[in-house]
Amino acid sequence: MANPITAPRGTRDLLPEDGPVWDRVEEVARDLSRRYALARIGTPLFERVELFARGLGESSDAVEKEMFRVSGARGSEEERAEWALRPEPTAGIVRAYVEHGMHVRPGPLRLWMIGPMFRYARPQAGRYREFRQWDVEVIGDPGPMVDAELLELGARFYHELGLADVVAHLNSIGDAKCRPAYRDALVDYFGAHEDRLTDDSRRRLRINPLRVLDDKALDVELAAGAPRAIEHLCDECRAHFDLLRELLDTLGVNHVIDHRLVRGLDYYTRTSFEYYVAGREGQQEAIGGGGRYDGLVELLGGRPTPGIGFGIGLDRTILALEEQSIVTPDSEPLVAIVSSEPDFARRLEVAGRLRDAGLAVRRPLRRARAGRSSWVATAWSCATWPVGSNVSYPSTSCRAPSGNRGDPAHPLPSQVQWRPRSVPTPAVSWAPARSGRGSRSPAGCIGAATTGT
Ligand code: AMP
């Protein structure tokens, strides 16, 4: 036998059993994007290396150490070195904003996307080389109201998934006016303690001193005594930060100030935030994060335009849900067609009608013996829909909460109850499966057909 080929290190396959939780997490993200009036945007998975080098800063980990370079197999030398898989979505979105002249649209522009990102980091629990993010960007709004709205949106996402104890860590890193003085204060402070810095931090101190605070291995005492960004804010940045905090209090967004939160990306200004599960900050990395990037549009060739956004790590969100034992209900109503007769056309036709009505229907079975439908129902966790005259079938029924009858052009048989598929959950109160005539309703079957006998 040939050696099996395995998936690349740091990547994972999404297996059928992983589907429900991914569907749920993405469904909540999509539904919230709709409720917050965000428009969908998509950008390529790979872009010019220069975009990330310019947008994220040459000294950022994402560019310096973690960039996945893509080579065109037959391209010229130059072309081969030119592309990179996107490590984050903001640079690509802002590139598209500038390229398509979106500044002429009535602003601010409110955008979202879900997709994979790639970073060549050392794989470990919760850190992958390919991971998925829900990303939200608002371009053209100086805040601070929109800052509060986005922080609340991220918190609401976790809340609607049922994740408890999420806290937003918050900081303001000032702007081009006040940051230089803060930078100098950091250089003076850490410069006087260089012997206590890691090699990495010593290098950061020269290139981007704010990132010394980002160093996970930084001496705790040294970090605690470091100058704080919010004590160096200019009047405008201070007013922005104070109002943001006031709005977060009004909205009830659980947050703490984190003086070490400076973000690894150079284009961030003012508001900077990350979400953690409270009490797990030391052991677990952020489950989401974002911030304001008022300088980025200009840096990428557009007019000076403020912007803010966040990226929520869906893989880490799912890990956190698992840690809190939050189970995803299997939300697809599932029906299997069973028949005792070789009437393929009839079975396909019935399947089509049930699908018209929004039900998920399994491939019609081959001929089923009398009594076999009960086995099918249990094995596949589904309700059965009998076709033909002499199938004995159980009333394997799960009663749907809604009495909606579906498409009037294809009325369902009167005994079928149907729940529309696009129910905006979170708190869907599933009707418990109802047993009929001695047969148990299949586990996990929700809102499927009832065969009222
Ligand atoms: P960042 O742009 O680094 O702030 O990333 C935003 C969010 O994406 C983080 O808060 C994580 O939830 C997630 N994330 C970043 N890097 C990874 C990774 N290597 N593996 C899994 N999730 C990640």
Side-chain angles (χ1 to χ4, degrees):
M1 242 192 319
N3 278 346
I5 297 170
T6 54
R9 226 160 82 80
T11 68
R12 288 156 323 133
D13 297 310
L14 190 155
L15 301 177
E17 57 272 27
D18 305 323
V21 71
W22 276 96
D23 283 349
R24 170 92 183 118
V25 163
E26 292 186 2
E27 181 189 309
V28 171
R30 284 203 175 87
D31 190 52
L32 282 171
S33 300
R34 181 187 62 79
R35 283 190 271 155
Y36 280 70
L38 304 164
R40 184 170 183 167
I41 188 162
T43 61
L45 295 193
F46 62 98
E47 298 263 7
R48 287 177 181 277
V49 168
E50 191 201 341
L51 173 71
F52 302 117
R54 230 202 279 177
L56 278 63
E58 299 273 6
S59 73
S60 64
D61 282 351
V63 170
E64 203 177 51
K65 303 182 198 157
E66 300 175 357
M67 195 90 98
F68 257 107
R69 289 179 188 249
V70 183
S71 59
R74 282 190 294 273
S76 64
E77 184 105 357
E78 186 198 348
E79 223 176 8
R80 267 186 258 147
E82 223 177 0
W83 316 103
L85 297 184
R86 65 182 182 201
E88 60 81 51
T90 311
I93 290 176
V94 170
R95 195 257 319 129
Y97 174 86
V98 174
E99 187 171 336
H100 299 282
M102 289 198 242
H103 62 278
V104 299
R105 301 181 189 216
L109 227 60
R110 299 164 65 88
L111 307 166
W112 72 277
M113 74 147 80
I114 291 179
M117 308 296 151
F118 305 86
R119 291 186 197 172
Y120 196 76
R122 195 165 52 81
Q124 58 190 62
R127 184 184 301 167
Y128 309 111
R129 290 181 171 169
E130 182 193 36
F131 58 98
R132 289 176 79 78
Q133 273 189 5
W134 172 41
D135 183 66
V136 169
E137 310 288 344
V138 178
I139 303 176
D141 189 328
M145 229 174 85
V146 70
D147 304 34
E149 191 188 8
L150 290 202
L151 267 141
E152 189 262 350
L153 169 56
R156 187 192 284 258
F157 169 74
Y158 300 116
H159 174 75
E160 295 203 356
L161 285 170
L163 197 64
D165 305 324
V166 174
V167 60
H169 284 215
L170 179 69
N171 199 10
S172 173
I173 50 174
D175 62 6
K177 199 159 107 195
C178 52
R179 195 148 4 130
Y182 178 53
R183 203 183 292 248
D184 290 347
L186 287 175
V187 172
D188 287 349
Y189 176 78
F190 285 121
H193 298 94
E194 231 181 299
D195 51 325
R196 290 165 73 187
L197 296 181
T198 61
D199 287 347
D200 207 18
S201 272
R202 253 180 250 132
R203 206 174 41 81
R204 291 177 184 196
L205 189 58
R206 264 159 219 109
I207 308 169
N208 182 354
L210 263 75
R211 295 208 48 235
V212 175
L213 292 165
D214 226 6
D215 184 351
K216 297 261 180 309
L218 183 64
D219 181 310
V220 179
E221 229 174 78
L222 194 62
R228 296 174 164 183
I230 59 168
E231 284 158 13
H232 288 77
L233 298 179
C234 57
D235 290 347
E236 291 85 354
C237 289
R238 157 68 49 198
H240 188 281
F241 188 60
D242 289 346
L243 182 50
L244 169 60
R245 294 210 59 206
E246 211 179 298
L247 293 169
L248 292 178
D249 286 338
T250 311
L251 292 171
V253 176
N254 188 13
H255 68 281
V256 294
I257 295 187
D258 182 342
H259 300 290
R260 286 184 66 178
L261 182 59
V262 289
R263 310 280 299 159
L265 311 180
D266 289 351
Y267 55 70
Y268 281 103
T269 50
R270 292 189 174 168
T271 310
S272 198
F273 57 97
E274 276 183 346
Y275 297 98
Y276 289 90
V277 175
R280 302 277 284 117
E281 287 96 333
Q283 308 125 58
Q284 197 182 53
E285 297 199 70
I287 49 177
R292 181 160 278 289
Y293 48 83
D294 292 348
L296 184 63
V297 178
E298 200 179 357
L299 192 73
L300 295 181
R303 300 162 188 222
T305 311
I308 183 167
F310 66 63
I312 282 181
L314 301 183
D315 308 73
R316 287 190 194 162
T317 300
I318 289 173
L319 285 177
L321 290 171
E322 281 164 5
E323 271 184 22
Q324 295 190 7
S325 306
I326 294 164
V327 179
T328 309
D330 218 347
S331 59
E332 275 299 290
L334 188 58
V335 180
I337 304 287
V338 292
S339 174
S340 60
E341 289 150 33
D343 47 359
F344 299 112
R346 171 96 184 105
R347 276 182 266 163
L348 284 168
E349 190 199 326
V350 170
R353 281 182 67 199
L354 294 173
R355 286 172 179 142
D356 280 345
L359 292 171
V361 182
R362 283 208 67 148
R363 187 167 65 85
L365 279 184
R366 290 173 177 219
R367 204 164 148 182
R369 268 178 282 115
R372 185 145 165 82
S373 57
S374 145
W375 176 87
V376 169
T378 311
W380 285 357
S381 295
C382 61
T384 50
W385 185 260
V387 177
S389 50
N390 66 349
V391 184
S392 90
Y393 57 87
S395 50
T396 48
S397 335
C398 302
R399 201 145 70 87
S402 157
N404 195 327
R405 301 235 68 81
D407 181 354
H410 299 274
L412 285 172
S414 61
Q415 62 270 46
V416 174
Q417 294 185 343
W418 170 65
R419 184 178 66 81
R421 296 176 74 179
S422 58
V423 174
T425 43
V428 179
S429 49
W430 302 116
R434 193 181 55 176
S435 302
R437 287 199 304 174
S439 66
R440 279 198 47 201
S441 295
C445 167
I446 294 156
T450 61
T451 54
T453 47

